[in-house]
Amino acid sequence: MTTVKKSVAVLGLGSMGAALADALLVAGHEVTVWNRTPGRAEGFVARGARRAESVAEAVTAGEIVIVCILDYGDIGPLLEQRGVGRAALQGRVVVNVTNGSPEEACEMAERVAALGASYLDGGIMAVPEIIASPEAFVLYSGSREAFEAHRGVLDAFARSVYLGEDPGLAPLHDLALLSGMYGMFGGFLHAAALVRSAGGSVAEFTTTLLQPWLAAMAGGLPAMAAQIDSGDYTVTGSPLAMQVAHDSIGEVSRAQGVSPELFAPLFALMERRVADGHGSEGLAGVVELVHAR
């Protein structure tokens, strides 16, 4: 199916903004770029983009305005400055892919609506190098109408995932995904420290043992997720009481000169859950200690 070419303005040409602008050019859209440091636009102009000398010029050139700058605090003043405002934004779609919180996204949606534009908040689940690749995806929340009307443009970046009308859903899910990622990295770093403490090869351990093990354990996540949704934590594997009977990981870590502080917080929660009378349940029940229904 032929993609409808549209006019798009990109505000911000840092590493991610540059990757987005490049993807739009490759897809054949009419791209106008603006950056506080004008020199960053040179390469894009050479490839067919138009350089805007001001935010107002960029906004008026694009029916879709992609905002990719450092933080939410800069976005409002950028869009509300003299020469931009309602006169320039009326009827346009603002797609903000700046990292932030659900509260900031909702506040920004209100400010953009007051300027006469539709709003989408985006969470980019990719590094700049894999934008426009099958591995990347972007979360969106906000105006469903705007998302459906301009999905062809958004799909130039990565697989587009729409979460709902609440603008705060994209940043919330973005942070939830990052939380899962950092939890995995924390476990990896502790495991690596243990292996290194015995003089082993972390690279060999990772490729031959840890990666296959984590892949197998990840297969159990949907079942745990179903338990959390239902509130039924009936054990499907090892009960919590058995898992916390001995702090073997902590003891061996200390004996090997490895700090247990990456693992200790989870173990403490597991012990608390058992002390509260839930020792016969599975690990998923620990979620009740970090977020009670």
Side-chain angles (χ1 to χ4, degrees):
M1 183 175 68
T2 303
T3 302
V4 177
K5 307 307 178 187
K6 296 189 177 183
S7 56
V8 188
V10 178
L11 307 183
L13 294 174
S15 56
M16 184 58 77
L20 300 180
D22 187 64
L24 291 168
L25 285 171
V26 170
H29 296 290
E30 298 175 9
V31 181
T32 299
V33 295
W34 173 86
N35 194 71
R36 285 191 177 91
T37 305
R40 289 192 178 180
E42 294 297 337
F44 297 98
V45 173
R47 298 202 304 279
R50 175 187 172 191
R51 177 174 55 204
E53 301 300 329
S54 66
V55 174
E57 184 182 341
V59 168
T60 54
E63 55 185 309
I64 307 161
V65 181
I66 310 294
V67 183
C68 187
I69 58 178
L70 185 60
D71 58 48
Y72 275 78
D74 292 334
I75 300 171
L78 202 67
L79 299 180
E80 294 165 353
Q81 65 180 272
R82 184 176 181 180
V84 190
R86 189 175 185 89
L89 284 165
Q90 182 71 40
R92 287 174 167 76
V93 174
V94 173
V95 181
N96 175 32
V97 293
T98 302
N99 289 330
S101 70
E103 181 181 11
E104 288 175 313
C106 291
E107 291 175 354
M108 188 55 58
E110 292 179 1
R111 294 178 75 169
V112 169
L115 296 172
S118 299
Y119 183 79
L120 284 170
D121 205 274
I124 301 176
M125 307 315 300
V127 293
E129 292 76 15
I130 66 170
I131 287 296
S133 74
E135 293 78 20
F137 63 96
V138 182
L139 308 171
Y140 294 100
S141 56
S143 171
R144 182 182 298 274
E145 181 180 357
F147 176 78
E148 292 177 349
H150 301 294
R151 181 166 187 171
V153 172
L154 302 177
D155 283 346
F157 305 145
R159 178 168 59 91
S160 301
V161 180
Y162 181 72
L163 299 172
E165 295 274 355
D166 180 350
L169 288 173
L172 178 70
H173 283 71
D174 181 344
L175 294 173
L177 287 165
L178 290 175
S179 176
M181 177 194 76
Y182 282 117
M184 178 188 69
F185 287 161
F188 164 73
L189 293 173
H190 191 141
L194 281 173
V195 170
R196 190 170 69 171
S197 74
S201 165
V202 175
E204 181 179 355
F205 165 77
T206 300
T207 56
T208 62
L209 296 175
L210 185 60
Q211 275 190 310
W213 169 248
L214 291 180
M217 291 301 97
L221 292 180
M224 292 179 70
Q227 286 187 313
I228 293 170
D229 283 342
S230 69
D232 179 3
Y233 303 112
T234 302
V235 67
T236 55
S238 302
L240 271 179
M242 187 185 78
Q243 294 185 55
V244 302
H246 302 285
D247 183 13
S248 300
I249 294 177
E251 292 172 1
V252 171
S253 295
R254 286 184 285 271
Q256 292 292 120
V258 173
S259 170
E261 60 194 301
L262 285 168
F263 171 72
L266 176 58
F267 190 77
L269 287 169
M270 293 164 66
E271 288 185 309
R272 276 178 54 195
R273 187 67 174 168
V274 172
D276 289 345
H278 300 280
S280 63
E281 296 180 348
L283 180 59
V286 170
V287 74
E288 298 295 341
L289 295 178
V290 293
H291 180 255
R293 292 179 182 275

